[in-house]
Each structure stands twice: as structure tokens, then as C-alpha cells.
Amino acid sequence: METGKYKTHLQDESSDALFNYKRRNSLQVKIGDLTLGGAAPIRIQSMANTNTNDTEASIEQCIRIIQAGGELVRFTAQGVKEATNLKEIHDGLRKKGYNTPLVADIHFNPNAADTAAQHVEKVRINPGNFVDSVHTNKRFEYTDEEYKQEIEKIRTRLIPFLNICKEHKTAIRIGVNHGSLSDRILSRYGDTAQGMVESCMEFLRICQEENFSNIVISIKASNTVIMVQTVRLLAATMKEEGMSFPLHLGVTEAGDGEDGRIKSAVGIGALLNDGIGDTIRVSLSEAPECEIPVAKFLAEYISQRENHPHINGIDSQKVSPFLYRKRESLSIENIGGNKFPIVIAEQSSDGQGLTADFVYCSDGKAVAGTNSIVDFSVWQSRSNCYPLFHASNAGKIKETSCGIKFLSLHYPEADDQLLSQIDEKTVFIIQTNHQNGVGEQKAFFHLLLRKGIKNPVVIKRSYESKESSQLQIMAGADTGIFFIDGLGDGLWIEDKNIEPSKTLSTAFGILQAARARVSKTEYISCPSCGRTLYNMQSTIAEIKSKTSHLKGLKIGIMGCIVNGPGEMADADYGYVGSAKGKVNLYKGQTCVEKLVPEEMAVEKLIQLIKDNGDWKER
């Protein structure tokens, strides 16, 4: 991917913006009475999972989403019939006193998009299947002339839709999904961030030519690293071409419970920290109204960084926002080098199979059978622990003979005198109390990169949460970005209000969500919508209960075939709704069994895992 022409920072021309929070300056658009982008707050939305032809059920669910704080509500419209019935839903909501804009979600059917644009405030179209053939795993070769002809087909079909939107003052979302890139895009760009961006830009350029600017953009993936890098590349590409359309953020198929919240916070939070994002949807495999509090908390948490005390940092020019490149670090016993990131905690185990690599013993009493860390003053009288130095006693590091020496510090303390005290056995633990802790810790990494200091770094964050779900969101948003960008060598989360087993689980969850360390079964599950062909929530619960011990295995649980096979492309096994009450089973990207009755499908999935040698008994 050629990204050299783009700036390594995304907000403005100074490296100052890499460390100091500032929202990207985006175009402001109108969606009904709602203003999105520009100086407007980050807008919160969700998607209904009712049958769009069931007017009353759809209205009732829509009201629940609105009452929870949703500012936009999206409905699937598989065909013209569903698109037409959106008028009934829209009118029914207005009669009940609700003015919230509605969004139609369109795949495969541009005629449905034309109809929906006459009845709702916004229509989402997917460039991967609006005109192009959906991804079929085939590879076609296109000459330059043939490729231009395909673009003309898009133009011919898109312009009438834009004219309808102009007439009815309807906004559109150009929504690219990693799992539904067209064969044409794949033939030219492959399954890459550049291909996803180009899929979007083809449509944007036509909209620009037609003087249509009431547009919101999204690029989504279930892989947080791909999602973050691609949205950054899109923002940079738009800027290069003089565009500044607002961006909708989301991690597709994030899952449910702790995993879904952490994965969404890691992916969405990384971009919000960059100042990117004007509206968000947290996609959970739960009731749609459950998504809203999570999204609101995340948006409000990031917004607290506004107008923070200035952070003095200098861009090392050695970190690309578009490509993963792990920071080169020394290998010190089991930390750094090419090893996966460690976890430090105040409890050795979460009781569910997760075990900390190091245990910090605040009382100075080492825990038998663990790699214990104690404060330096206590360590001097003990020989079976690792010492933790603070900046004030860093001068004693070189006087100490020990396998690993942990040095805890804040970025402002990292002056030349302190850095001169470290040796080849020192591991940094970087803490922060700054209003924009992400920016301050980022400045520390760039300081090390500029000075050529390769000692490993553990990111430490301390919280006082009201509940574990808040911790998951805050810690995910604050720390995941460092592993997505390949900077961190370890993670230490503490929260005096949350039991240590939960903070330990949260740390491992963040590393897994950032694709840095696999410690448990990963479930790639969609949030369900009106296209879902079976009971998503009960199925996820059943599959989890029977497979959660299969550490490292990735299982996709998808409601339908629209994005399912594509979004779970890196899953080891897949469970995809294919017809009413029927399921297709996948090994990798290959469908190995079709139209399995729902009541038999979970057991068939387990048998498929066993047949391929990936099953382990508990």
C-alpha cells in the first residue's frame, strides 16, 4: 500500500496534533432536523433487528432505542416492499411525537434505495454490492478500459439515486464493509485497506461531480487493526482530494458482553483519540437499545479530553498510522523483543484460566509460584521478587543486579538525567494522570524512538470505575491504540473499585481485541438485524457455553450472508444463517455444509471442529 504521500498525523500540519486532542474538522450535514459533523457532538445510533414489515414491532423497538439516547435509528430494507413500509414506521413514530431521523440499510438492491430515499432521512448504500457483483472469492482481470466501463455503470445507476435524494433532502451514507468488497475492487487492489478506501472514493468522486454533499462515510471491519488503519487512510485520502465528509465509526461483529464492549472501545476509541469520528454505533449481539449506553459513555469519555493542558511532544516520524510495524524493543527474559505483550496485575488468576505474567504485591509479600513484583524498598530484603523502582530512586537501577528491573515513571519525569540511569535490564512502566493520558503516553514512546532507546514499555492505567463495564470501555479506549500501533510490550490495568480478577480479564481482553495476544476463544458475531435468520442471542450463548475453552480458536456467528462470510474471513469456523431456520457451516472461507436445520446446527459445528482436529476436552 502506497501511503508515503500522506502525513503521519491526521488533524493538521504540525506534529503537535499527534499528542494534543483535537477533533477533525469535518463538513456539517443535515439528517432531517439533526446536524451531524462539524462542531456538532458525536452522534449516537443503533440498528433495529425487527422485521421491517412488522410496523408496530419496529416502532416499539425504535422508541426503546430513542428513549435510551439513540439519535438515529437504522432499519434493514432488503427489497422495495420493506423500503416502502419504512414510510409506515416513519409516520407512526411521528404520530407518537418522535422526530428522530430514520436510516434505511440497503444491500444488493438499488431500487430499494430509490424507494427508501423518499420515506426516510438517510439511506446507507454499500459500494461493494450497490452495482458491482458481491465478493465471490473469484478473481477477474480487468483492462484499464474495462475498469472504466464498470465505473460508468456505477455512475449511470448512482446519479438517479442522488437526484431522488436531492429532491427529498435525503442524506446518504456510503458504507464500506471489509467483508463485502466487490470482485472488481479485489481484482485491482486485493483485500487491502487501499481497496476499501478506493471502493468508497469511487462513489464520493461521482457525488462531488454531481454537487451532492449531504454524505456520511463509514469503513468497517471486525478486525480492529484493519478498521483503524483503513479509516485513518480514508481521512488522509479525503484530505488529499479536498474532501472532509463526516465519518461514522463502528467495529462490525464485535460480539456481546465483555468482549463486545472491549473490542468496540479499542477500535472506535483509537480513532476518537485521533480526533476522527462524528457518529458512532457500538455493534453488540444484544438488544439494540443495549448499544446506546455503551456508545454514549465512550463518546462522553473521549470528549473529556477537549481543552486539556498542552502536551509537549515531538513526532519521531517512525510510526505509521496506516501500517502495523512493531516497535523494536530489547528482549528481557519474557518481555519485549518478538514476544507477545505481558500482563501485570494484582491477582495471579481470574479463576477462568487467565493468568498474569507478573503479580504486583502492594503489601510486599511475594505470591508463591508467580513472578512477583514488589517496591524497591521492600525488594532489597528479598531475593525471590523483581524490584519496582520509581523515578525518585531511578539512580539505584545500575547498582542493582537483577534479571528485570521495572521503572515506573510519568512522561514529564523522562528527562535526560533519568534516561541515563537505565540499563539493558530496565523495563519502563509508563503511567499518566493527564487529562489526555493517551497523548501523554504516546509522547513518551516517540521520545524513546527519537533517542533510539529500545527498552520494553508496559502501559499502566489506573481507574476508579463505578462498574466493570465502564472499566472495559475506558481502558479499551485508552490502551488499545498502543497495541494496534505496535508500540506496547505489556499492559497493567488497576481499578480500586473493581475486583482484581475483572481488571485482569479486561487487560487480556484488550490485548486480544487489538490482535496483540490471543488468550481465549474469539467470537466474531454480528449484532443481528431484520435480515437475521435465527435467534442470534440464544445461539451465541449456546456456542459460547460449549466452545469457550478452545483457546485461540476464532468462531464466526453471523446472521445472514450479506456480510457474514466476508466479515468472518479470518475465522477458523463459521456459523451463518442461510435461510429461515437454516444454517451454513464453514471451515475457514469454505462452506462445507449447507442448509443445516437450526436445531442441529450447533452440534454439527462442534462435530466439524472435532473432525478437523481442533477440539479439546475441558
Side-chain angles (χ1 to χ4, degrees), residues 504-579:
L504 175 61
S505 175
T506 296
F508 275 106
I510 290 167
L511 294 178
Q512 179 139 337
R515 300 296 177 111
R517 178 175 181 176
V518 176
S519 57
K520 51 188 174 180
T521 314
E522 181 167 347
Y523 300 96
I524 305 168
S525 61
C526 73
S528 83
C529 66
R531 296 187 298 267
T532 302
L533 298 165
Y534 57 87
N535 188 316
M536 176 68 72
Q537 288 176 254
S538 64
T539 300
I540 292 171
E542 184 180 0
I543 292 176
K544 279 190 169 184
S545 71
K546 295 180 177 180
T547 62
S548 61
H549 63 293
L550 302 175
K551 176 182 175 180
L553 209 64
K554 295 188 182 77
I555 300 176
I557 310 169
M558 315 303 293
C560 71
I561 61 170
V562 171
N563 294 314
E567 289 295 354
M568 64 170 202
D570 63 347
D572 300 297
Y573 296 92
Y575 182 108
V576 181
S578 55

Side-chain angles (χ1 to χ4, degrees), residues 363-384:
D363 59 3
K365 298 177 181 178
V367 178
T370 70
N371 293 322
S372 296
I373 302 173
V374 297
D375 289 326
F376 172 67
S377 59
V378 175
W379 176 84
Q380 293 180 89
S381 61
R382 299 178 182 273
S383 60
N384 59 339

Side-chain angles (χ1 to χ4, degrees), residues 206-258:
I206 296 170
C207 291
Q208 288 263 74
E209 292 167 9
E210 294 299 312
N211 296 313
F212 186 90
S213 60
N214 206 22
I215 301 168
V216 182
I217 309 295
S218 71
I219 288 192
K220 296 186 179 183
S222 62
N223 181 319
T224 55
V225 177
I226 291 173
M227 174 258 193
V228 170
Q229 291 172 348
T230 307
V231 174
R232 286 170 170 172
L233 182 59
L234 172 65
T237 304
M238 283 200 292
K239 185 175 180 179
E240 190 77 14
E241 297 194 23
M243 304 180 192
S244 58
F245 294 106
L247 288 161
H248 166 131
L249 305 182
V251 178
T252 58
E253 288 70 54
D256 63 353
E258 177 185 61

